[in-house]
Amino acid sequence: MNNGRIENIGTFDTLADVLLKSIKRQDSQEDVKKAEVKEMPTKKHERMLSIVSVASSIGKEFTEVEQNIQEEVEKGQLSFSMYIQYYRTGASICLLVCMLLLFLIAQVFSNGCDLWVAHWTNGETANAANNTKYTVNVSSAKSNEINNIENSYDFIESQKNYIYIYTIFIAGSIILTTARSLLFYQVCMNASKGLHNKMFSNVLKAPMRFFNTNPSGRILNRFSRDIGAVDEILPKATIDAITAFLVMLGILMMVFIVTPWMILPAVILGILFYFFRRVYLSSAQDIKRIEGVNRAPVFSHISATLYGMSTIRSSKAEEMVIHEFDSLQDQHTGSWFMFLACSGALGFYLDCISLAFLILVTFQFLIMETNSGMSGNIGLVVSSSMILIGMLQLGVRQTTEVSSNMTSVERVMQYTKVEKEEELNPEATEKPKNWPSAGKIAFKNTYLRYAPEDPPALKSLNIVIQPGEKIGIVGRTGAGKSTLISSLFRLAPIDGTIAIDDIDTSTVSLEHLRSNISIIPQEPILFSASIRYNLDPFNKVSDDVIWQALNDVELKDTIESLDQKVCEGGSNFSAGQRQLVCLARAIIRNNKILVMDEATANVDPHTDSLIQTTIRENFKDCTVLTIAHRLNTIMDCDKVLVMDSGKAVEFEAPHRLLQLPGGFFTKMVEKTGPAMEAQLRQIAKIAYKLED
């Protein structure tokens, strides 16, 4: 059925096949249109398609028409300030300077071990040359160095001194290296916690437009993959890179001490190394950013698929959904493979650079006759240069890994700069006591825009709701019913005035405003915690009050204990029971204003009747706003507000509105059919007489 007309008729299997073919036909037509658009030379930008997360019922009218904005992607190389912000989040400048000195001192002790072993070896060689009975022909250069070594025996009296000094270097290297690693990981842990907490705080306080324009997968991507990279990959890659370059620096210093002329080829090779690294980073960072952007739709698709699993299976659309997922996964895998290919190419060129340096170092001892021809020096330089190959490969790989994973820090930083609701309403700071005490609500020339460039979704609203009145809000889809509730909670920028008990809500802090208005949404929200936490998360009431609220909604016999666990999403309760738990929560809050956003739309008639009865008994002195899904639930209200295109077109008692032939509310009642119309008119008439 559609608008009172029969569109299709047949068995379930037949209709399911027809619906699935229709969906596939629409998809193929959209693909053809996209191909035609791509061929147009004047078209510069393509429309970005993304899967929209399931929004809350309060903002559903907005999300139906709101387009998801394209994800912000930085370009070019990462600025040095990004590194400073990251480490400043984890430690103070003084601690960072101390950590840097600790790295340098630890490396000095580590290289001191190698230098001392070389000195020890040369000393033993010189001692053996002096004590041997055989004549050893050595060059004059070597003889001079042997004489210098003999003079050093003035303060090295025995071989034990060599062992003692070597032990000091080894112990210092172990202790300082361990200390620097622990300190560095602690700084990184503090930085990761700080970034996560700041991002989490900003997202929680972000305006609703942020959630309406960013799919859930995009937000989950920041909190899962990006935070995971900052937690696990980035610290290890960073300390490996720092260690590798300190080791390389120490090796080069030892080579320069033994053979000073090697400074020139080292500088040339260093320039080549810098050139290859820069070429790699210019593409690798952008590829890494693209990989992060391509990952978000995968999360969104999985989230949407899990939420709509029953619909997908009933429509037999599994193959279509699998095809969509494979396409998204192929895009992500392609960008990830490109990143790995770039890393492999960089490793090959670095191996060539390292091999060239090793050849120069080795053959210079064979070609040139220098003062560095002692066996200890030769062994030290050659073995260190061989280590240099692995260190250079590791160091550059890890530095590029650091630069690539710093894009995760960059993406997290973007969400730490999200504008907060408090910043949009800096003057909203008041927290009046015992407010609201009556529940009077006045809308004065109120306009609401979800975005400054959008037309108003709520237009020139001027109504006054007296304390204790029960108001039913009706209208077709998109008429502005939920938008009116959004304005009451100030979920979007508002022009005009909304006053509660003669206090302008724009001057009241958002936390104080929202905590003093109760709401029962269409989709009940339960936390994965105990019953007590779901009903009283701030521990403000006693257990007796909680049990009384459960008794009011007839759930006392169902709940075994207040410590009973609620599964994820309240899956261990039926839809009606979840709605009753939300109603019990509102009873405990005992606020003067209650909002019901189509709370009985998805429950059975018995639960609907129970909810209506409970509201009449427990909220008789409160102002109740009910967005109606079934007209019979609001026919006994004090007044009915009819919305159309964001405007209030009718606002009066139901019985009086039904006396207007051709009125908006009258037409809505007439569309229910003659029998239901007569019943609704009778309910409205009885309620009107009782009120009089």
Side-chain angles (χ1 to χ4, degrees):
M1 299 291 292
N2 185 11
N3 292 328
R5 296 181 179 180
I6 298 176
E7 287 194 345
N8 286 301
I9 187 170
T11 63
F12 174 79
D13 293 335
T14 303
L15 293 178
D17 292 337
V18 171
L19 178 61
L20 184 58
K21 290 179 181 179
S22 175
I23 294 174
K24 291 181 177 179
R25 191 182 307 113
Q26 291 176 2
D27 291 340
S28 62
Q29 291 175 356
E30 289 181 0
D31 293 339
V32 172
K33 291 180 180 179
K34 290 179 184 177
E36 293 176 353
V37 169
K38 289 181 179 179
E39 294 175 359
M40 295 175 61
T42 58
K43 190 69 175 178
K44 295 183 179 180
H45 300 285
E46 296 180 11
R47 186 178 181 183
M48 300 296 295
L49 298 178
S50 58
I51 299 175
V52 185
S53 63
V54 179
S56 64
S57 59
I58 291 180
K60 65 183 179 182
E61 293 182 2
F62 171 53
T63 55
E64 289 175 356
V65 297
E66 180 69 23
Q67 296 291 335
N68 290 324
I69 60 174
Q70 185 175 353
E71 184 170 2
E72 181 181 356
V73 181
E74 302 288 346
K75 296 182 179 179
Q77 292 188 355
L78 288 168
S79 62
F80 186 70
S81 61
M82 185 65 63
Y83 292 87
I84 295 177
Q85 292 179 33
Y86 171 66
Y87 289 109
R88 283 287 289 113
T89 306
S92 62
I93 296 179
C94 181
L95 183 59
L96 293 176
V97 172
C98 293
M99 184 177 67
L100 180 60
L101 292 176
L102 191 59
F103 268 93
L104 294 176
I105 296 173
Q107 190 59 43
V108 168
F109 271 81
S110 180
N111 289 122
C113 295
D114 297 332
L115 287 172
W116 188 252
V117 169
H119 180 71
W120 189 356
T121 303
N122 291 336
E124 291 295 329
T125 302
N127 190 30
N130 288 334
N131 295 332
T132 184
K133 295 181 180 180
Y134 299 99
T135 302
V136 180
N137 295 324
V138 294
S139 64
S140 58
K142 292 183 180 180
S143 299
N144 292 334
E145 187 163 347
I146 290 174
N147 292 331
N148 293 333
I149 293 174
E150 289 176 351
N151 295 331
S152 67
Y153 276 86
D154 294 338
F155 65 93
I156 304 295
E157 297 178 356
S158 66
Q159 195 175 20
K160 290 183 179 180
N161 292 337
Y162 280 110
I163 298 175
Y164 292 151
I165 296 176
Y166 184 68
T167 302
I168 292 173
F169 276 118
I170 289 293
S173 178
I174 293 174
I175 295 173
L176 293 175
T177 301
T178 304
R180 76 176 185 186
S181 299
L182 292 176
L183 179 59
F184 181 80
Y185 279 118
Q186 185 62 44
V187 170
C188 291
M189 186 184 301
N190 293 340
S192 180
K193 287 181 179 179
L195 289 175
H196 175 272
N197 293 339
K198 188 174 181 181
M199 178 174 66
F200 187 62
S201 175
N202 278 35
V203 169
L204 285 181
K205 298 178 181 179
M208 288 302 299
R209 176 172 169 78
F210 172 80
F211 299 98
N212 293 329
T213 55
N214 288 277
S216 60
R218 186 181 299 173
I219 300 174
L220 289 174
N221 192 14
R222 296 295 204 283
F223 282 96
S224 56
R225 185 64 180 271
D226 290 325
I227 285 293
V230 177
D231 278 343
E232 302 171 7
I233 302 176
L234 186 59
K236 184 179 184 302
T238 304
I239 196 170
D240 286 347
I242 295 174
T243 302
F245 275 102
L246 287 176
V247 170
M248 282 191 291
L249 180 62
I251 291 173
L252 291 175
M253 292 300 295
M254 289 188 293
V255 172
F256 296 157
I257 291 173
V258 177
T259 55
W261 74 270
M262 284 295 296
I263 294 177
L264 180 60
V267 170
I268 296 174
L269 294 176
I271 294 174
L272 290 175
F273 146 73
Y274 177 76
F275 171 75
F276 284 120
R277 182 180 181 275
R278 186 170 182 177
V279 170
Y280 168 77
L281 285 180
S282 62
S283 57
Q285 288 182 345
D286 287 338
I287 293 175
K288 190 69 174 178
R289 292 185 181 116
I290 293 173
E291 185 268 335
V293 172
N294 288 339
R295 192 190 317 127
V298 178
F299 284 97
S300 295
H301 189 276
I302 293 174
S303 177
T305 301
L306 292 176
Y307 186 85
M309 185 64 71
S310 57
T311 304
I312 294 171
R313 290 180 176 176
S314 62
S315 302
K316 296 183 179 180
E318 294 93 336
E319 293 184 2
M320 181 183 66
V321 174
I322 292 173
H323 176 71
E324 291 178 353
F325 176 79
D326 290 343
S327 299
L328 295 173
Q329 186 64 30
D330 287 344
Q331 294 178 9
H332 173 254
T333 305
S335 57
W336 179 246
F337 175 78
M338 183 63 69
F339 176 74
L340 296 179
C342 289
S343 300
L346 176 66
F348 172 75
Y349 290 115
L350 292 180
D351 282 341
C352 295
I353 294 175
S354 303
L355 185 61
F357 185 79
L358 179 60
I359 292 173
L360 284 174
V361 169
T362 304
F363 279 90
Q364 63 96 14
F365 286 111
L366 300 176
I367 297 173
M368 300 181 182
E369 187 73 17
T370 63
N371 294 335
S372 58
M374 295 297 296
S375 59
N377 293 340
I378 295 174
L380 173 65
V381 172
V382 173
S383 62
S384 299
S385 298
M386 293 181 68
I387 296 174
L388 184 65
I389 296 179
M391 284 294 105
L392 183 61
Q393 179 77 271
L394 175 64
V396 176
R397 279 184 178 275
Q398 293 304 92
T399 54
T400 54
E401 185 75 8
V402 170
S403 299
S404 299
N405 284 286
M406 279 299 292
T407 58
S408 295
V409 176
E410 180 184 60
R411 288 160 59 82
V412 170
M413 286 286 189
Q414 289 176 353
Y415 275 23
T416 61
K417 300 174 183 177
V418 172
E419 193 174 23
K420 301 179 182 179
E421 283 186 311
E422 291 87 347
E423 297 172 355
L424 299 176
N425 301 277
E427 70 281 357
T429 56
E430 295 184 8
K431 295 183 178 181
K433 295 182 179 180
N434 300 322
W435 176 88
S437 58
K440 179 183 177 181
I441 306 174
F443 294 86
K444 300 177 182 178
N445 198 28
T446 303
Y447 289 81
L448 183 145
R449 289 180 174 85
Y450 287 105
E453 65 275 8
D454 292 343
L458 198 64
K459 307 170 187 176
S460 186
L461 185 62
N462 290 278
I463 60 173
V464 177
I465 301 173
Q466 298 300 329
E469 282 190 333
K470 309 299 183 287
I471 307 298
I473 304 173
V474 296
R476 59 184 178 83
T477 302
K481 304 186 298 296
S482 294
T483 302
L484 186 146
I485 303 303
S486 298
S487 67
L488 189 62
F489 284 91
R490 302 194 72 88
L491 297 178
I494 294 172
D495 296 328
T497 303
I498 300 177
I500 298 179
D501 285 355
D502 299 325
I503 295 179
D504 190 351
T505 58
S506 63
T507 63
V508 181
S509 70
L510 292 175
E511 179 183 359
H512 191 69
L513 169 67
R514 294 169 183 173
S515 63
N516 283 281
I517 302 176
S518 298
I519 183 170
I520 304 176
Q522 181 177 354
E523 296 293 336
I525 304 299
L526 297 183
F527 304 102
S528 300
S530 64
I531 292 292
R532 179 186 287 104
Y533 182 84
N534 274 274
L535 295 177
D536 183 29
F538 302 107
N539 295 322
K540 291 186 176 181
V541 299
S542 63
D543 289 356
D544 294 337
V545 175
I546 297 176
W547 280 115
Q548 182 59 44
L550 291 173
N551 184 60
D552 292 339
V553 297
E554 298 184 4
L555 284 179
K556 187 174 182 179
D557 296 334
T558 305
I559 306 299
E560 298 177 357
S561 169
L562 294 181
D563 295 326
Q564 179 179 333
K565 294 297 181 182
V566 178
C567 297
E568 182 179 359
S571 58
N572 53 336
F573 291 93
S574 66
Q577 288 175 329
R578 291 197 295 269
Q579 201 65 273
L580 292 175
V581 171
C582 290
L583 178 58
R585 183 191 299 157
I587 294 174
I588 293 173
R589 295 289 297 176
N590 195 27
N591 290 324
K592 282 295 181 179
I593 298 176
L594 172 65
V595 176
M596 297 181 61
D597 191 359
E598 297 185 335
T600 60
N602 298 325
V603 299
D604 58 275
H606 173 72
T607 305
D608 186 0
S609 176
L610 175 60
I611 291 175
Q612 299 300 331
T613 303
T614 304
I615 290 174
R616 293 188 188 96
E617 294 177 355
N618 292 273
F619 297 95
K620 56 185 177 181
D621 296 328
C622 301
T623 303
V624 180
L625 306 181
T626 304
I627 295 180
H629 178 74
R630 300 168 180 167
L631 290 180
N632 63 305
T633 61
I634 53 95
M635 295 307 293
D636 59 347
C637 289
D638 298 324
K639 291 181 180 179
V640 170
L641 174 63
V642 183
M643 300 293 298
D644 184 66
S645 301
K647 296 181 179 180
V649 292
E650 293 179 350
F651 183 55
E652 190 51 82
H655 180 67
R656 289 189 175 183
L657 291 179
L658 291 175
Q659 307 308 311
L660 302 175
F664 286 89
F665 188 63
T666 302
K667 291 180 179 179
M668 294 177 65
V669 173
E670 290 175 350
K671 289 181 180 179
T672 61
M676 180 59 69
E677 178 187 357
Q679 183 180 351
L680 294 177
R681 287 180 177 273
Q682 183 66 21
I683 295 174
K685 184 177 181 180
I686 294 174
Y688 185 72
K689 289 182 177 180
L690 291 175
E691 184 179 349
D692 291 340

